[in-house]
Amino acid sequence: MDATTSGPLAPDVLDRADVRAALAEHDFAAVFTLIKKWGGLSQNRIASACQLTPGKVSTIISGSQRVTSFDVVRRIADGLRVPGHMLGLASRPWEHQQQTQHPPESPGVRPAASEVPWRPDATIDLAADLTRSDLVMDRRAITRALAGAAVTGAALLDSLEGWLQPAAALPAPVRRGRLGLRETDELEFTARAFRQWDHQYGGGLRRKAVLGQLAEVAGALDEHQAPEVETCLYRIMAQLAGTAATMAWDSGLHRRAQEYYRLALRSAHAGADPVFGANVLAGMARQMLYRDRPDDALQLIQLAQEGARDVIGPRVRAMLHTREAWAYAAQGRTAGFQRATAKAAEALANATRSGEEPYWIAYFDEAELAGVTGGRLLDLARQDPRQHAERAADESRTALSSGGSEAGRSHALDRIGLAECRFLVGDVGGGAEETHRAVAAARLTQSGRVRTQLGQLYPYTVGHQASRSVRKARDSIRDLLSS
């Protein structure tokens, strides 16, 4: 097939975490089984696409024969149109041709967020454009959005420099709207409810409801309310845009998530709320860390600290230090990680003696600090299990014993991390036992990030066919990721 010939699989099949895990492991029995289930392909169709005999496909699915030939792996990649990186291969020739013929982003629909000036009225227009396009997004547009890569490097960082400058003053409008502070209180209550729901369940199931509320707030701002009301509305728009960003990210829409993060930052800037702006930059840094861009993440955290240094409270400061520590850990800078983690613990200890901080940072407590620290130690343990795995496990246990399962996404991620720690130290039985607990926690959330992390746990359960407990753990992961 050449680049103009479409592959036999719908794009969403290759986006499934279970399919990705099976491809990464070269577990082609699972790959073909999942493709039959979710792609609707028969064994004959798979055989034809991959230039195999139907009998060969049948023996692979049954497990009586494994694919060990590099040439066969390449034929499977090309026949099913599986990008090379998903199988540990170099990019296939048809991938480059497709990128040239079908660029992932549709130009000309609206200006990029980086091109919108840092003015309150421009921020309103950006919010209206983003929500309008997302609320009418069909399946094909979602597929294109999934292909959009997040902006990184100078293109991202330079576009955020306006955060450090004062908001532009605009001439007073001739006529103002009639919204009052009672209505803004109601809107803020709704924004809080959406944020709490996302923190507990994840998955973006209410994303369009958030976008609808965001569009309503942008519309109210476009009517030029009283100055005090407008300030409240910009802050509410920042909170809603931040929630929309995390929901988009949880749904795999990384580029769209980044656009909402930038809208949230601009809204916080227009609403004179540098503390929430710092929180938004911390969210953008976390996204960069998940995209293996620790240098970008560190610069985003430094931008947050610079822009809000004089106004942030100890709990927000502690959170920023943990993101800084995460970046150092990803860079392999163990001393920097330990120093930033100690600063986070010191700042959090002062939080109990400080005044009131914003409601949205209340989640960051000792359990959250332990969970984040455990996750970063786990990153280090993957390179040096003997030195870091046990401490990572201890921090994860502290997070699980101190926190409640009502923070569904964090609770599930801590469970998954603890299971991986057990596998890393060679405790296969303990790893299998913790995996069952992790799967049970994951079932209570719709978070895409949780499913991605669970998929990364899957390889630890491969190669232990003699252990019934590990086979059951592997099956439990597959069952959840296939549901």
Side-chain angles (χ1 to χ4, degrees):
M1 293 189 294
D2 61 22
T4 62
T5 307
S6 61
L9 297 175
D12 58 340
V13 176
L14 293 179
D15 287 327
R16 295 185 57 84
D18 50 358
V19 175
R20 286 177 174 270
L23 288 167
E25 286 299 299
H26 285 200
D27 183 355
F28 290 103
V31 170
F32 289 164
T33 299
L34 292 166
I35 284 173
K36 284 178 64 180
K37 178 177 182 180
W38 300 111
L41 302 188
S42 65
Q43 288 187 195
N44 287 342
R45 182 71 181 87
I46 294 172
S48 175
C50 302
Q51 301 178 44
L52 301 171
T53 65
K56 175 83 168 180
V57 172
S58 179
T59 58
I60 292 171
I61 291 176
S62 69
S64 59
Q65 187 170 358
R66 293 179 58 86
V67 175
T68 57
S69 166
F70 183 68
D71 181 60
V72 173
V73 174
R74 288 191 301 183
R75 293 210 307 268
I76 292 172
D78 293 339
L80 298 176
R81 278 296 200 258
V82 177
H85 72 274
M86 297 180 72
L87 284 163
L89 306 174
S91 296
R92 310 302 298 148
W94 49 265
E95 292 184 65
H96 302 296
Q97 296 170 23
Q98 282 186 337
Q99 289 171 6
T100 301
Q101 296 178 12
H102 305 289
E105 294 292 325
S106 300
V109 176
R110 62 175 181 270
S114 58
E115 299 172 2
V116 177
W118 284 71
R119 295 198 322 266
D121 56 339
T123 299
I124 297 170
D125 292 340
L126 178 61
D129 286 344
L130 271 174
T131 54
R132 187 183 303 114
S133 64
D134 264 10
L135 287 169
V136 298
M137 187 182 291
D138 59 14
R139 184 178 178 84
R140 183 176 299 178
I142 290 174
T143 300
R144 287 198 303 269
L146 284 166
V151 179
T152 60
L156 170 64
L157 298 166
D158 286 352
S159 70
L160 304 178
E161 285 294 321
W163 151 253
L164 298 176
Q165 305 301 320
L170 298 176
V174 176
R175 182 178 302 174
R176 293 191 180 274
R178 298 182 178 180
L179 221 60
L181 292 178
R182 183 176 64 83
E183 287 85 357
T184 61
D185 287 345
E186 293 173 355
L187 288 169
E188 184 173 10
F189 178 82
T190 303
R192 289 189 183 205
F194 280 130
R195 188 178 184 87
Q196 176 57 35
W197 191 92
D198 177 57
H199 184 59
Q200 183 171 355
Y201 299 107
L205 291 181
R206 295 189 183 178
R207 195 168 76 90
K208 288 206 171 184
V210 174
L211 298 182
Q213 192 73 74
L214 183 56
E216 288 289 332
V217 172
L221 279 165
D222 198 36
E223 294 175 356
H224 304 292
Q225 309 297 329
E228 186 179 7
V229 172
E230 282 199 344
T231 298
C232 292
L233 288 174
Y234 277 119
R235 294 184 176 196
I236 293 167
M237 188 159 76
Q239 294 173 31
L240 289 168
T243 301
T246 59
M247 286 182 163
W249 179 11
D250 242 5
S251 302
L253 303 169
H254 297 288
R255 180 64 171 271
R256 192 68 93 218
Q258 196 173 56
E259 291 174 337
Y260 280 110
Y261 272 133
R262 291 202 273 198
L263 172 61
L265 185 64
R266 289 171 181 271
S267 301
H269 182 260
D273 190 355
V275 180
F276 190 75
N279 181 63
V280 173
L281 286 164
M284 298 181 80
R286 182 178 58 178
Q287 187 186 23
M288 288 295 101
L289 288 162
Y290 271 96
R291 308 297 287 175
D292 296 322
R293 301 282 301 194
D295 294 346
D296 289 349
L298 195 55
Q299 290 197 55
L300 287 165
I301 291 301
Q302 290 168 351
L303 190 63
Q305 292 167 331
E306 181 180 355
R309 180 174 288 111
D310 297 331
V311 292
I312 55 174
R315 204 176 292 273
V316 177
R317 185 175 294 109
M319 181 271 293
L320 291 176
H321 281 312
T322 61
R323 299 292 162 84
E324 183 183 3
W326 189 343
Y328 286 138
Q331 292 174 331
R333 298 169 59 183
T334 306
F337 160 74
Q338 292 172 342
R339 183 177 66 255
T341 299
K343 287 182 179 179
E346 181 182 357
L348 188 60
N350 293 331
T352 58
R353 298 188 293 272
S354 70
E356 184 180 354
E357 290 192 69
Y359 79 90
W360 45 259
I361 195 61
Y363 77 94
F364 197 88
D365 54 13
E366 286 75 11
E368 182 69 14
L369 176 60
V372 173
T373 303
R376 306 299 62 81
L377 285 166
L378 176 58
D379 292 339
L380 295 171
R382 293 185 182 114
Q383 306 301 320
D384 189 350
R386 182 174 298 179
Q387 183 173 352
H388 300 292
E390 284 297 350
R391 187 181 164 203
D394 289 343
E395 293 286 354
S396 294
R397 291 191 193 96
T398 298
L400 289 166
S401 62
S402 303
S405 59
E406 65 274 3
R409 182 165 51 205
S410 296
H411 182 79
L413 290 171
D414 290 335
R415 283 285 180 200
I416 295 168
L418 183 55
E420 186 173 356
C421 287
R422 302 323 307 157
F423 282 118
L424 282 171
V425 298
D427 181 6
V428 176
E433 184 178 345
E434 292 295 344
T435 296
H436 286 296
R437 296 192 181 103
V439 171
R443 289 188 186 280
L444 301 178
T445 175
Q446 296 297 318
S447 171
R449 270 177 280 167
V450 167
R451 279 158 172 71
T452 296
Q453 293 293 100
L454 199 59
Q456 292 175 0
L457 188 62
Y458 178 86
Y460 291 97
T461 66
V462 175
H464 301 282
Q465 287 83 358
S467 170
R468 182 170 178 268
S469 64
V470 176
R471 287 202 309 271
K472 290 179 66 177
R474 183 169 63 240
D475 290 343
S476 69
I477 294 175
R478 274 191 185 162
D479 288 345
L480 176 58
L481 297 183
S482 298
S483 62

